Every structure is written in C-alpha cells, then in structure tokens.
Amino acid sequence: MGGGGGAAEDDRGSSSAADPVDGAGDGAATGVQIQPSRRLPDFLQSVNLKYVKLGYHYLITHLLTLCLIPLMVVIVIEAAQMNPEDIRHLWLHLQYNLVSVIICSAFLVSGSTVYIMTRPRSVYLIDYSCYRPPSHLQASFREFMEHSRLTGDFDELSLEFQRKILERSGLGEETYVAEGLHYLPPRLSMAAAREEAEQVMFGALDNLFLNTSIKPKDIGILVVNCSLFNPTPSLSAMIVNKYKLRGNIRSFNLGGMGCSAGVIAVDLAKDMLQVHRNTYAVVVSTENMTQNWYFGNKKSMLIANCLFRVGGSAVLLSNKSADRRRAKYKLVHVVRTHKGADDKAFRCVYQEQDDAGKVGVSLSKDLLATAGGALKTNITTLGPIVLPISEQLLFFATLVAKKLFNAKIKPYIPDFKLAFDHFCIHAGGRAVIDELEKNLQLLPIHVEASRMTLHRFGNTSSSSIWYELAYIEAKGRMRRGQRVWQIAFGSGFKCNSSVWEALRNVKPSPKSPWEDCIDRYPVKTVA
C-alpha cells in the first residue's frame, strides 16, 4: 500500500468524473433542459489559443530542419553544376592530401565506435500481464459493509465512516478482496497471505509466459516489489522456486516503497539491462491485503480498507535489438523524486499501531498537498527532457517576465499534452485524479483510464498503472509513435514517472483484465 489513498476524504463533488465529455449531462442531472447554443464559437479566442500556438509549436520544433533546407538546396545546385573536369580536380586534391583523409577517417571510425559502445542500450517492453482475480472474490459495497459489521471489530461510527468513504471513493461494485478476508472470522495467517501472493504473482506470470512464448530459463533479471508483505524466503525466491529459474539469475525484492514502487522496479531493471547484455528482465508488482487489513476504529487507518484491492502485474523487458520488432514499447525516460527528507512528507503514509495496538497504514490529511509538492518537483525535472522547445521557451519567457517586470504575472503552465498522447495516473483515489486533471489541464479522456481502473479494480497499489495502460490498449487508442506517461505516488514520500513510446499500433494481449468488460466502459462515476 502507498500514496494516494487520502483522496476519499475530499468532500467536493466529482463533476468532471460524472459528466460526459460533451457536457450534455449537466442539464439532465438538474432536470433543466439546456438548449444548444445557436451562436458561432469565438474564432478570435480559437485562433489565439489553438491555431497560433500549434503553429508556433510546429515552427520552433522544426526550426533546425527549416534552416537546413536552404543549405541542402544550395549544395544540390552546386553539385549539379560540376563537370567532369571539376570532379577530376577534386579527386586529385584528395590524393595529394591522403594523410589528412586517413587521419580524419580514423577519427571518424574510432569516434563512432566509442559512441556505439558507450551509448545506453535501448530497453524494450515486449509484453505485460495484469492479474484478473476470480469472480467469487468480488466485494460489492453491501457485501463489504455487511462483512465489516459481522466481524465485530468496528463500532457504529467506524462503519458509517467506511460507508461514506466507499460512496466517495470512485470505486465500483466489482472490485476484489483477498480470499482470506471473505471468511468469518477472517483468515489472517501467514499461509493465507502466501496463498494470496502466489495466486496474484503466478497468475500474472503464467499469462505473461504464455503470451510471449518466453521460457522461464531465459530470464536473467527478476525484480519483485511488494510493500507490506515480505516473508522469508522472499517473494522473488518464491518465483524462482515455482518456475525453476536459472541459478545465476539476478533477483531483487523491494519492500516498503509504496504505490510508486512499480516505476522504481522498472528503473532498477533498466539499470541492470545496461550492464548485462542480451537478456530478459521480469518486473512483478503487487501488494498483499491478507495480513494488512486494519481491524480498528482509527479513521485515518480505515481509509486504506476502503480503497485498496487485490491486483498485480508482470512486465517482460529486453535489451536485445532483435526484440524491437515484436516489442510493444520502448522505455524513453524514468524520473524519480523522493521527498523523504521532509518530516511531514515522510509520515503522511505511515504504518503504525493505534491506541489499541492494532496495526494499520495511516493516511495523513496532508497527503494531497504532499503529493502536489512531489509532483511539482517531478515534472520540473521531467519537463525539460520531454516538452517541445516551444513550451520550454514560453515557460522561460514567462518566468523571466515575472521576475523582472511584474510579479503579478501568472506562471505559464506547460502543456504536457504536446509531449504525451496518453496518461496513466496512479489510481490512488478520486481526489488525486481530480487534482492532476485540473493542474495539468488535461481533458476527461486523458484521465479516463485512471478513473475506470479505480472504478473496476480499485487501488491495486504499484500495479495500477499497468491496468490503466491495458485499458488504453483495450480501447484501441495506442498508435505507433505515441508516448504514454505513467506517474505514481508512494509512501516515503515519492513521485515517480516513466515514459514509454509505442513501437507499433498496440492491440490488447490475450486474457487482458478488460477482455470481457471493456464495452461497458467508460461509466459515470458517482461522487
């Protein structure tokens, strides 16, 4: 479990989530018939804000190319005017300067060799798989509340609080709860927790190996992340034992790193793939609910019960150039931000005991503000390496004008829609998605994958960004050359981003988590 859970405490309405894209739902919701406007749109505003900006963006982005075109035309014209005598003189000139030609050629060859040998190796995402729990593990709101009442651990105030959180959370009626929590009394043993971990991890890996035809023996690097369940032997060792992975595998088990640990695991795998040639890396991201359900009455700890649900993912990465032809994506950037030096940020998602000695994860009221600060730092680092030069110049010019001339000038917010085609915002809670939609000036379609993942699967911690990517693929929206931004928040406090580029028109893989329900989405979420 990690960051983003405090979203449920936000008391504001979620009109952006409930309203359809065309905005026609507002009148129906209030019982008032709104007539469509007969006036033409304000073309002056349209030109200023849309066409001029896009033209400026195109001009600046292609400035180097536009400058080179005249130079290339001049060279072609001069070459066309050369006669055989001019060519013979050029050849004689090169012969008399043979030593210079050889030295220049040697420098060119050696420089090219050094560049090729030292440049970062490309990391390709061949495929990934998200675990889809069986239907008998689904927990509707009614079943959730009835089960919570029958456990006898919650007083009436806590039960009412959980009911309100569920109603405001953005979760739907089909999310999944661990099998041990369906029993009365709940099965909270180590054996039950291991069973949950095995079902999720092995379910995702079985499907991944089946879809990619990769043999487990071919895996050279294994990274597993799970925050709150870290048994001995480790989860990574459980996978090695199950699939009989080779003895020299580089395996890692990350614990306690929150909902953003999936991006951290990808970053670790990427670094390992820079060192070890021609190999595959598997990244498994999950969370364990069985031993981490809170059975007390402290409100800040009860929120996690209402938001977190069963889920997991397995991702296959490769540094083999031959795999580019069949890979779905290429990893472009990973940017990590850690705010743990600040005490308030460090404690905003905190595992502890309540006054009765019961263990839970406490979500601070400062969580949303902390996430905003971490996001600001993260995108400040990410912006210069992904935004087009036009947006960077506008941001810089506005900043200079604000500092030198008028302190009241509003800072320019870069348009990240020019850098990314799709957004996978960690489905931590409704308010987090709302705030990012507003502050990054995104459209409803850009946050649709996050809202629908939260609705269908709940907060699955570090694996949620992969359910969101699977949603985009299931909708048939991913096209070759498009970029997707995965952004996740986690305890610590951390904000991490990964950027992927589609290498082809991506279709959903077999047994996608959305395979039999994508036609029902998007749905209106109720606030």
Side-chain angles (χ1 to χ4, degrees):
M1 298 181 184
E9 288 188 297
D10 188 10
D11 290 327
R12 292 172 296 171
S14 179
S15 59
S16 59
D19 296 343
V21 174
D22 61 6
D26 294 335
T30 58
V32 178
Q33 295 296 324
I34 299 178
Q35 296 297 330
S37 174
R38 296 181 182 273
R39 298 177 57 188
L40 291 174
D42 188 341
F43 288 107
L44 179 62
Q45 291 296 324
S46 299
V47 170
N48 286 338
L49 297 179
K50 183 177 181 181
Y51 301 109
V52 173
K53 185 175 180 179
L54 289 177
Y56 169 75
H57 158 61
Y58 183 86
L59 176 65
I60 296 298
T61 303
H62 297 86
L63 184 61
L64 180 61
T65 303
L66 295 175
C67 292
L68 287 176
I69 289 177
L71 179 61
M72 294 174 63
V73 171
V74 171
I75 293 174
V76 170
I77 293 175
E78 289 294 329
Q81 293 177 349
M82 293 180 66
N83 54 40
E85 186 65 20
D86 294 330
I87 296 175
R88 190 177 69 83
H89 281 301
L90 179 61
W91 174 250
L92 290 174
H93 178 74
L94 292 176
Q95 284 182 319
Y96 286 121
N97 293 276
L98 186 60
V99 175
S100 299
V101 172
I102 292 175
I103 293 174
C104 292
S105 300
F107 272 110
L108 183 62
V109 171
S110 60
S112 301
T113 303
V114 170
Y115 170 74
I116 293 173
M117 295 298 293
T118 58
R119 68 176 180 174
R121 294 182 177 87
S122 296
V123 174
Y124 302 107
L125 190 159
I126 297 178
D127 205 352
Y128 65 96
S129 175
C130 298
Y131 176 65
R132 172 82 174 267
S135 58
H136 71 270
L137 295 185
Q138 289 182 352
S140 66
F141 290 178
R142 183 189 61 79
E143 293 171 334
F144 181 96
M145 292 306 305
E146 182 65 18
H147 197 84
S148 296
R149 186 181 303 277
L150 293 175
T151 61
D153 293 292
F154 307 105
D155 58 30
E156 288 300 321
L157 289 177
S158 295
L159 290 170
E160 178 62 17
F161 178 76
Q162 291 182 77
R163 185 188 64 78
K164 290 181 178 180
I165 294 295
L166 284 173
E167 291 175 352
R168 302 174 185 180
S169 65
L171 272 68
E173 298 279 354
E174 298 179 290
T175 58
Y176 303 91
V177 174
E179 187 164 5
L181 298 172
H182 282 269
Y183 287 85
L184 281 175
R187 291 176 54 210
L188 308 177
S189 64
M190 175 66 77
R194 283 184 180 273
E195 288 176 8
E196 180 191 347
E198 291 174 353
Q199 289 171 1
V200 174
M201 295 191 305
F202 298 165
L205 285 167
D206 286 346
N207 193 42
L208 180 68
F209 290 140
L210 180 64
N211 290 342
T212 59
S213 300
I214 294 292
K215 298 178 181 178
K217 289 285 186 182
D218 294 333
I219 306 301
I221 299 164
L222 173 65
V223 184
V224 181
N225 69 270
C226 181
S227 289
L228 296 178
F229 182 59
N230 293 284
T232 300
S234 66
L235 298 178
S236 60
M238 290 166 60
I239 294 174
V240 172
N241 177 261
K242 164 69 175 180
Y243 295 98
K244 309 304 177 187
L245 303 184
R246 63 199 200 196
N248 65 342
I249 190 169
R250 278 81 177 178
S251 65
F252 303 87
N253 201 93
L254 307 180
M257 304 196 79
C259 299
S260 65
V263 178
I264 297 173
V266 167
D267 190 35
L268 175 57
K270 178 205 69 175
D271 290 342
M272 294 298 295
L273 287 170
Q274 299 303 310
V275 178
H276 303 282
R277 294 175 174 271
N278 298 318
T279 190
Y280 294 106
V282 168
V283 175
V284 179
S285 300
T286 187
E287 193 49 83
N288 194 283
M289 299 175 62
T290 301
Q291 289 192 321
N292 297 291
W293 201 258
Y294 175 62
F295 290 95
N297 293 294
K298 188 175 180 179
K299 290 184 178 180
S300 63
M301 294 183 175
L302 285 169
I303 299 173
N305 287 9
C306 301
L307 294 180
F308 286 92
R309 296 294 184 265
V310 171
S313 63
V315 181
L316 178 63
L317 304 175
S318 172
N319 58 10
K320 301 180 180 181
S321 56
D323 283 326
R324 180 185 176 91
R325 293 192 300 271
R326 66 168 180 156
K328 285 186 172 183
Y329 304 94
K330 175 183 175 181
L331 182 60
V332 182
H333 301 292
V334 176
V335 174
R336 293 166 56 182
T337 300
H338 204 307
K339 307 293 286 185
D342 179 74
D343 291 341
K344 184 180 293 185
F346 175 72
R347 295 190 63 93
C348 70
V349 180
Y350 203 79
Q351 187 180 23
E352 59 185 350
Q353 289 180 312
D354 64 10
D355 295 337
K358 296 182 178 180
V359 178
V361 175
S362 176
L363 303 180
S364 166
K365 62 181 180 181
D366 299 317
L367 178 57
L368 203 59
T370 301
L375 172 66
K376 180 180 178 181
T377 303
N378 190 265
I379 64 176
T380 301
T381 306
L382 181 67
I385 60 178
V386 298
L387 286 169
I389 186 96
S390 59
E391 288 298 292
Q392 297 187 44
L393 289 177
L394 284 171
F395 176 78
F396 179 74
T398 306
L399 183 64
V400 171
K402 180 178 176 66
K403 294 292 184 181
L404 297 181
F405 303 109
N406 188 351
K408 295 183 179 180
I409 296 177
K410 293 183 178 180
Y412 177 73
I413 300 175
D415 188 356
F416 279 89
K417 298 188 292 295
L418 294 175
F420 305 113
D421 303 281
H422 306 283
F423 298 80
C424 295
I425 301 167
H426 166 55
R430 178 179 56 81
V432 171
I433 301 172
D434 288 346
E435 288 300 312
L436 264 70
E437 179 184 15
K438 181 178 70 175
N439 287 296
L440 296 180
Q441 299 177 351
L442 303 180
L443 300 175
I445 195 171
H446 293 136
V447 295
E448 182 182 307
S450 300
R451 292 194 191 282
M452 296 308 104
T453 296
L454 182 65
H455 182 273
R456 178 63 184 85
F457 295 99
N459 182 346
T460 60
S461 190
S462 56
S463 63
S464 69
I465 53 178
W466 297 106
Y467 287 89
E468 294 164 17
L469 187 58
Y471 179 90
I472 297 171
E473 293 178 4
K475 282 293 183 181
R477 297 172 180 170
M478 189 65 69
R479 294 289 180 263
R480 180 177 182 178
Q482 292 185 338
R483 288 191 172 191
V484 56
W485 179 16
Q486 292 179 322
I487 183 166
F489 303 92
S491 57
F493 189 85
K494 298 179 287 292
C495 176
N496 299 322
S497 297
S498 57
V499 180
W500 303 87
E501 180 182 348
L503 299 177
R504 51 188 168 91
N505 295 344
V506 182
K507 297 180 180 179
S509 301
K511 294 186 178 180
S512 162
W514 301 94
E515 192 171 55
D516 63 350
C517 63
I518 191 63
D519 293 337
R520 294 191 278 118
Y521 290 89
V523 299
K524 293 182 180 180
T525 56
V526 179

